[in-house]
Amino acid sequence: KAGVTQTPRYLIKTRGQQVTLSCSPISGHRSVSWYQQTPGQGLQFLFEYFSETQRNKGNFPGRFSGRQFSNSRSEMNVSTLELGDSALYLCASSMSPGYNEKLFFGSGTQLSVL
Amino acid sequence: DQQVKQNSPSLSVQEGRISILNCDYTNSMFDYFLWYKKYPAEGPTFLISISSIKDKNEDGRFTVFLNKSAKHLSLHIVPSQPGDSAVYFCAASGNSGGGADGLTFGKGTHLIIQP
């Protein structure tokens, strides 16, 4: 069974631009979560989607948004990029939402904002 | 305010010995705890979990202990092997009534197993 696939693997953008990251969950998994990893803050929860609906959102500004499609694939978008948005963005999938569901992570998209 | 703390950024252990990784939490609503392992350039992979109704969970060489009164958990790896060298993240979750709030992660401990 294929794992969680994230594209692109690396991305370089400049301040003020916007970016879209993509995530394909494990087949059969319907819940997708996004996390931001930075050296200073560790992994921080961005949002979770299930059945095309955002279930929860972490403490991030409105520049960070996401969506989920009917095939469970998900995208996240960051608008008006700032230098501090440079991070590894990780997508995770699970069978269903739930606070004790085991998450399966992709390898991430490394975003660098110049 | 960090709700999940891993106070040791790194830990060096000799091969064959026991590795003990520690984690403290402050939110009393957390009732499910997980450990993830991360190699460079890869996403975290699930290692072991424990519910707050237990104080110990074991899976092969890995054992997690939970002390609810101290709000402390630890991961024991016995015996430590070179392939265990990685960053270990402690994570916690709890149903705060409004649905899942995602996992809250610590900043990680880099475990180095020395031959």
Side-chain angles (χ1 to χ4, degrees):
Chain A
K1 192 185 254 192
V4 177
T5 304
Q6 290 188 248
T7 56
R9 189 73 180 88
Y10 301 95
L11 208 46
I12 299 175
K13 292 285 187 179
T14 55
R15 279 183 300 173
Q17 287 187 309
Q18 76 162 19
V19 66
T20 300
L21 312 181
S22 180
C23 172
S24 294
I26 290 172
S27 177
H29 285 194
R30 296 172 60 200
S31 178
V32 173
S33 304
W34 289 88
Y35 288 81
Q36 181 196 65
Q37 184 186 7
T38 57
Q41 297 298 322
L43 280 99
Q44 293 187 289
F45 172 70
L46 279 156
F47 24 64
E48 180 189 22
Y49 287 89
F50 177 71
S51 293
E52 303 176 65
T53 301
Q54 187 180 92
R55 293 188 71 246
N56 285 292
K57 192 177 193 307
N59 189 22
F60 279 84
R63 300 185 297 107
F64 291 81
S65 63
R67 58 178 175 167
Q68 186 181 34
F69 301 96
S70 58
N71 61 358
S72 296
R73 192 177 70 85
S74 177
E75 288 180 348
M76 68 162 280
N77 184 277
V78 188
S79 62
T80 320
L81 284 166
E82 300 177 359
L83 295 178
D85 297 334
S86 294
L88 179 67
Y89 290 88
L90 291 160
C91 168
S93 74
S94 59
M95 294 284 288
S96 60
Y99 68 103
N100 59 351
E101 278 288 325
K102 188 185 349 178
L103 299 180
F104 294 83
F105 283 86
S107 296
T109 294
Q110 184 67 54
L111 172 65
S112 297
V113 181
L114 307 178
Chain B
D1 182 35
Q2 226 187 326
Q3 299 186 69
V4 177
K5 296 179 184 177
Q6 293 178 257
N7 292 319
S8 299
S10 66
L11 176 67
S12 185
V13 175
Q14 210 160 12
E15 182 180 355
R17 298 286 186 103
I18 181 172
S19 294
I20 300 176
L21 294 92
N22 293 303
C23 178
D24 297 294
Y25 62 96
T26 57
N27 190 337
S28 57
M29 296 297 291
F30 289 147
D31 58 4
Y32 193 72
F33 305 89
L34 310 92
W35 285 92
Y36 281 82
K37 174 180 177 180
K38 186 179 186 299
Y39 293 118
E42 295 182 12
T45 55
F46 171 79
L47 202 55
I48 193 169
S49 62
I50 187 166
S51 163
S52 60
I53 61 173
K54 293 185 171 183
D55 55 18
K56 176 183 174 181
N57 190 24
E58 199 170 346
D59 184 3
R61 297 186 297 114
F62 303 91
T63 303
V64 56
F65 296 91
L66 175 63
N67 183 333
K68 281 181 61 181
S69 59
K71 293 191 176 69
H72 176 84
L73 62 155
S74 61
L75 174 68
H76 292 210
I77 306 173
V78 185
S80 299
Q81 298 175 353
D84 296 331
S85 294
V87 177
Y88 289 79
F89 290 97
C90 170
S93 67
N95 194 338
S96 60
D101 291 331
L103 291 177
T104 301
F105 283 85
K107 293 188 178 182
T109 296
H110 185 193
L111 177 64
I112 302 161
I113 305 301
Q114 296 185 332

